Amino acid sequence: DVKVTQSSRYLVKRTGEKVFLECVQDMDHENMFWYRQDPGLGLRLIYFSYDVKMKEKGDIPEGYSVSREKKERFSLILESASTNQTSMYLCATTAGPYNEQFFGPGTRLTVL
Amino acid sequence: AQSVTQPDIHITVSEGASLELRCNYSYGATPYLFWYVQSPGQGLQLLLKYFSGDTLVQGIKGFEAEFKRSQSSFNLRKPSVHWSDAAEYFCASGYFGNEKLTFGTGTRLTIIP
């Protein structure tokens, strides 16, 4: 079974802090994704990476950056956290050419 | 651009009753279609998927979905719901050669005794 783990289930940060969310997958998948999930808005793609050091902006990249130095690890970075970034963050990875995505358990981030 | 519409934000169903969750997609060619379920505090789990072939697909936990090209729909069904089916359900679409998926806004399912 594919396993996708996220570094924290719950995180509380202060406005202006730099925040790192980490995602690790154990199945050697090429593609990894970061989404944020908000009530009534569903899942919105922040960034996706299709290879080591390769990335592509999603629908809402503003205020976020990403890093993929190793194939199994994809980090989401909030350079200066703001209260409007309080949300659930989900990482996913693609199994193959048919786009089925496997999700981690999510990180609920609160920015005070 | 692709879009996925789930017109029902919240549905309440009695335990043992049948269920249908609606999903409409917008894309010119045949999309890949998925239904995911999210239990409270959890990530998303794949229920079923459609790529091609038989338009009625079976998934886990007794769910099925039917692809109807003429209606641009991919509705999720279950003949008899259980209390453990209470969750949020997401429909998603993609297409060959594009690793990204487009998700609907979700339908929250409540089960009453």
Side-chain angles (χ1 to χ4, degrees):
Chain A
D1 279 351
V2 175
K3 189 159 186 185
V4 183
T5 57
Q6 295 185 226
S7 48
S8 306
R9 292 299 302 273
Y10 300 93
L11 208 52
V12 180
K13 295 293 181 180
R14 298 234 173 247
T15 301
E17 279 193 82
K18 191 168 186 174
V19 181
F20 292 87
L21 303 182
E22 195 163 71
C23 175
V24 179
Q25 52 107 350
D26 67 355
M27 283 298 291
D28 202 36
H29 290 166
E30 301 281 327
N31 302 302
M32 297 186 75
F33 306 81
W34 275 108
Y35 295 93
R36 68 176 280 176
Q37 180 183 9
D38 300 288
L41 298 178
L43 276 71
R44 294 179 292 166
L45 181 65
I46 305 171
Y47 268 97
F48 114 88
S49 169
Y50 47 94
D51 202 348
V52 174
K53 297 191 187 293
M54 307 302 286
K55 62 187 179 186
E56 189 174 306
K57 291 180 181 178
D59 300 317
I60 52 164
E62 297 78 19
Y64 304 95
S65 62
V66 290
S67 172
R68 192 157 177 210
E69 297 296 319
K70 293 185 177 181
K71 193 172 188 179
E72 68 271 18
R73 197 177 297 266
F74 189 35
S75 300
L76 180 69
I77 303 156
L78 287 66
E79 294 288 343
S80 178
S82 65
T83 55
N84 63 12
Q85 292 179 309
T86 292
S87 187
M88 170 73 100
Y89 290 87
L90 293 166
C91 174
T93 179
T94 306
Y98 297 107
N99 301 349
E100 175 183 347
Q101 293 186 10
F102 293 89
F103 284 82
T107 295
R108 185 163 293 283
L109 172 67
T110 301
V111 183
L112 302 175
Chain B
Q2 292 183 81
S3 66
V4 175
T5 302
Q6 293 181 249
D8 304 305
I9 297 172
H10 184 204
I11 285 182
T12 300
V13 175
S14 298
E15 190 168 14
S18 64
L19 171 70
E20 184 169 28
L21 301 182
R22 297 183 291 165
C23 173
N24 292 97
Y25 67 90
S26 167
Y27 180 62
T30 299
Y32 297 161
L33 295 161
F34 306 86
W35 275 101
Y36 286 87
V37 61
Q38 184 182 35
S39 298
Q42 303 296 316
L44 275 68
Q45 179 186 21
L46 182 70
L47 282 176
L48 47 77
K49 58 191 177 187
Y50 172 79
F51 296 138
S52 66
D54 193 347
T55 57
L56 185 64
V57 293
Q58 303 296 322
I60 62 171
K61 305 186 183 194
F63 285 92
E64 67 178 25
E66 187 171 12
F67 172 64
K68 292 186 177 179
R69 185 191 303 274
S70 61
Q71 297 176 20
S72 298
S73 69
F74 188 57
N75 293 348
L76 182 72
R77 301 193 295 245
K78 187 169 185 178
S80 176
V81 298
H82 186 261
W83 63 266
S84 61
D85 294 324
E88 187 145 24
Y89 292 80
F90 292 92
C91 182
S93 75
Y95 56 92
F96 184 74
N98 185 344
E99 300 296 343
K100 293 182 277 189
L101 295 181
T102 299
F103 285 84
T105 52
T107 297
R108 184 161 62 93
L109 176 64
T110 298
I111 308 293
I112 55 176

